[in-house]
Amino acid sequence: LEAVLVRGPVWAGTRGAASPDGPALRPGERVAPGTEIASGPDGELVLRTPAGAEIRVATGSRLAVAASGTLALESGAIYVDSGDAGRGGDDGVRIDTRFGGVRDVGTRFEVRVTAEMLRVRVRDGRVAIDRGGGALDVGAGREIVVDADGRTAERDVPLDDPEWVWVARLATAPEIDGRPLDVLVRWAARERGLELRAADAETEAAFREIRLSGSVAGLTPEQSLDAVLPTCGLTRDVRDGVLVVAPAPPGAAR
């Protein structure tokens, strides 16, 4: 695994040695099997597997790397975006917990562990939770909670639920220099769990015709849109789970 983003205090070491007294994990470092990682109360990071899957680690998490695509999550939360890499099988990411193992079947999902429960929520695609009594299948827009006694509870979870915000904060912005606006707006909508809609045919055409310059590296999806759309004479709004991009009102600053 490679640490592609480290924000705030994150430590890495041998099992039991990841602590504020140990070495800090830095961007660009390789994380070998057998390494334990701990993120502080303000620490977050993004790991990338050799197959290209992205693993985002929330604040206050503790996990160990068992293999290049297998992690053991002791506490905290992990979000997996398998992108084009995740198709299950040997390239899929697996998250092992004390409540059972969670297998990627080509999807985006979050695994959260506390002393009392395992919670898995799927944004798209599906995952399988392997338990002693068999596997549980969790599909897009669903959440399942497994408690310490093995009882399960399921419910629907909106793709733009506020609890996904930490995931978008760690999203890696695309390269936009020389590329169409379409690349940016579709990335932002995907990361926020929103449907993308142009207000009219002219705006939809602008997605393909406007070529961008510069970079939005380090910006969140919202910050990226707010930095770029006004320069294109456009504005944005979110309505009922839909990101609507429309022409800016007359006289708006560009």
Side-chain angles (χ1 to χ4, degrees):
L1 297 178
E2 179 186 2
V4 295
L5 173 68
V6 180
R7 184 178 294 151
V10 178
W11 305 280
T14 57
R15 200 63 184 258
S19 71
D21 297 325
L25 184 64
R26 303 191 183 282
E29 285 191 33
R30 298 287 178 175
V31 183
T35 301
E36 184 179 68
I37 298 172
S39 58
D42 299 315
E44 301 170 312
L45 70 148
V46 179
L47 302 167
R48 185 169 294 141
T49 72
E54 196 172 86
I55 300 168
R56 305 176 196 177
V57 181
T59 59
S61 298
R62 182 173 290 272
L63 58 142
V65 180
S68 62
T70 302
L71 303 173
L73 180 61
E74 179 180 328
S75 60
I78 287 174
Y79 177 84
V80 177
D81 184 344
S82 54
D84 294 333
R87 295 290 180 268
D90 294 337
D91 288 337
V93 175
R94 180 182 175 90
I95 310 296
D96 289 328
T97 77
R98 71 176 69 90
F99 302 96
V102 183
R103 289 186 287 113
D104 170 25
V105 194
T107 184
R108 294 185 295 156
F109 64 98
E110 181 199 69
V111 179
R112 186 173 293 272
V113 172
T114 70
E116 294 80 25
M117 62 88 182
L118 162 69
R119 187 186 78 181
V120 178
R121 39 173 44 191
V122 180
R123 220 168 188 185
D124 59 41
R126 65 188 182 89
V127 301
I129 304 176
D130 296 324
R131 307 168 65 219
L136 298 173
D137 191 76
V138 189
R142 294 288 289 171
E143 171 188 288
I144 187 167
V145 174
V146 182
D147 69 17
D149 294 322
R151 293 174 299 211
T152 63
E154 295 188 54
R155 72 179 183 102
D156 291 332
V157 58
L159 301 184
D160 61 340
D161 189 89
E163 286 197 50
W164 294 115
V165 169
W166 77 268
V167 171
R169 189 170 60 243
L170 291 176
T172 303
E175 296 288 341
I176 64 168
D177 196 42
R179 304 184 71 185
L181 176 62
D182 186 73
V183 170
L184 179 66
V185 292
R186 292 194 184 283
W187 167 75
R190 180 178 186 269
E191 288 293 344
R192 290 298 289 115
L194 301 170
E195 177 188 345
L196 175 63
R197 185 180 301 161
D200 50 40
E202 183 179 348
T203 301
E204 186 171 2
F207 289 172
R208 301 183 297 274
E209 295 167 357
I210 294 177
R211 294 280 165 171
L212 303 177
S213 62
S215 172
V216 291
L219 300 183
T220 66
E222 288 89 348
Q223 290 169 340
S224 298
L225 292 177
D226 290 343
V228 171
L229 290 181
T231 69
C232 303
L234 300 170
T235 188
R236 70 177 178 95
D237 190 18
V238 175
R239 309 169 192 165
D240 300 323
V242 179
L243 171 64
V244 180
V245 179
R254 296 188 61 170

